[in-house]
């Protein structure tokens, strides 16, 4: 498993809440377990108590994205470092018995967590994955969707650092909204122009 994969843990957790819409899907232990994806052994450690703990970590991870999105690189790094200190991991070499066509083991780096609870394990992996992404690609690659009121977190992996939305759906919605706004502005200007012309003609007729 590539280390970059782990950064998605942070995005998945942050996006369980949409504050502007008042929506929160992290309301049960089942929702917590779903965040672990294929890591069923880690998911089984989750209990009802982890719901509140996960929400706390979620808020801290969102704060990292907000700082990065706002251009405050130092704050983003400081917030992420505090998570790394509180939720440490141990890098290990793993192969999971996977071999290539020649029978040679396919080794890769793996993040081994030693958590006291499910939240600690997830937070450790999420923070470390986000740290790898930040140091590899830059703080400005951590963003929040510009399609209001979404504000979902995303990781920009575009070649020209041009990503602004969390999904194609939000990008389309924002483009449609911008198009309609331009059309309204053009219509308003046209009406204003007609009104001005009419006023000028009225004034001219009165002066005669």
């Amino acid at each position: 498993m590539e280390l970059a994969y782990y950064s998605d843990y942070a995005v998945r957790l942050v996006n369980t809440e949409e504050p502007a819409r008042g929506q929160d899907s992290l309301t049960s232990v089942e929702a917590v377990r779903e965040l672990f994806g294929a890591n069923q052994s880690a998911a089984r450690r989750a209990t009802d108590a982890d719901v509140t703990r996960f929400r706390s970590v979620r808020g801290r991870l969102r704060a990292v994205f907000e700082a990065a999105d706002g251009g405050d690189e130092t704050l983003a790094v400081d917030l992420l470092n505090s998570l790394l200190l509180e939720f440490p991991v141990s890098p290990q070499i793993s192969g999971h018995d996977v071999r290539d066509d020649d029978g040679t083991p396919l080794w890769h780096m793996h993040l081994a967590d030693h958590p006291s609870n499910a939240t600690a394990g997830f937070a450790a992996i999420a923070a470390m994955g986000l740290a790898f992404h930040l140091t590899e690609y830059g703080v400005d690659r951590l963003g929040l969707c510009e399609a209001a009121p979404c504000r979902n977190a995303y990781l920009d992996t575009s070649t020209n650092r041009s990503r602004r939305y969390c999904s194609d759906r939000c990008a389309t919605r924002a483009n449609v909204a911008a198009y309609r706004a331009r059309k309204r502005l053009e219509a308003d200007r046209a009406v204003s122009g007609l009104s001005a012309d009419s006023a000028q003609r009225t004034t001219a007729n009165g002066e005669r």
Side-chain angles (χ1 to χ4, degrees):
M1 183 180 296
E2 296 181 0
L3 293 177
Y5 166 84
Y6 293 112
S7 58
D8 189 55
Y9 274 56
V11 174
R12 291 207 306 269
L13 177 53
V14 170
N15 291 346
T16 59
E17 181 183 29
E18 296 184 68
R21 292 190 173 110
Q23 296 179 357
D24 187 347
S25 63
L26 192 58
T27 58
S28 65
V29 67
E30 288 76 17
V32 168
R33 288 170 179 160
E34 288 177 4
L35 287 169
F36 284 92
N39 195 344
Q40 295 302 317
S41 59
R44 282 194 291 271
R45 291 199 300 261
T47 67
D48 289 331
D50 283 298
V51 176
T52 300
R53 289 193 288 254
F54 261 69
R55 286 178 171 178
S56 176
V57 172
R58 178 181 64 188
R60 295 170 66 183
L61 286 171
R62 175 170 281 278
V64 174
F65 279 92
E66 289 175 342
D69 188 66
D72 194 336
E73 295 191 6
T74 301
L75 178 58
V77 170
D78 287 345
L79 292 171
L80 188 51
N81 274 335
S82 69
L83 284 164
L84 292 169
L85 287 171
E86 186 173 344
F87 303 105
V89 295
S90 302
Q92 293 182 352
I93 300 173
S94 177
H96 298 301
D97 296 325
V98 178
R99 297 177 181 273
D100 63 14
D101 295 337
D102 298 328
T104 303
L106 298 176
W107 303 111
H108 62 270
M109 291 299 295
H110 174 79
L111 298 183
D113 59 279
H114 307 285
S116 55
N117 53 65
T119 303
F122 191 97
I125 293 173
M128 183 60 75
L130 200 57
F132 276 115
H133 191 93
L134 185 152
T135 54
E136 179 70 19
Y137 300 107
V139 179
D140 60 341
R141 294 298 189 122
L142 278 60
L144 292 173
C145 186
E146 293 184 14
C150 178
R151 303 301 283 168
N152 271 351
Y154 65 83
L155 300 172
D156 185 0
T157 57
S158 63
T159 56
N160 57 355
R161 300 173 183 263
S162 61
R163 186 170 178 178
R164 299 166 54 201
Y165 306 104
C166 68
S167 64
D168 290 340
R169 179 182 179 183
C170 276
T172 299
R173 182 161 55 84
N175 289 333
V176 169
Y179 173 79
R180 289 175 176 171
R182 287 195 302 271
K183 288 300 182 181
R184 284 195 299 270
L185 180 60
E186 291 172 2
D188 290 342
R189 287 175 176 172
V191 170
S192 297
L194 290 173
S195 298
D197 288 343
S198 178
Q200 289 175 355
R201 286 195 297 270
T202 300
T203 301
N205 289 334
E207 292 176 348
R208 295 191 190 116

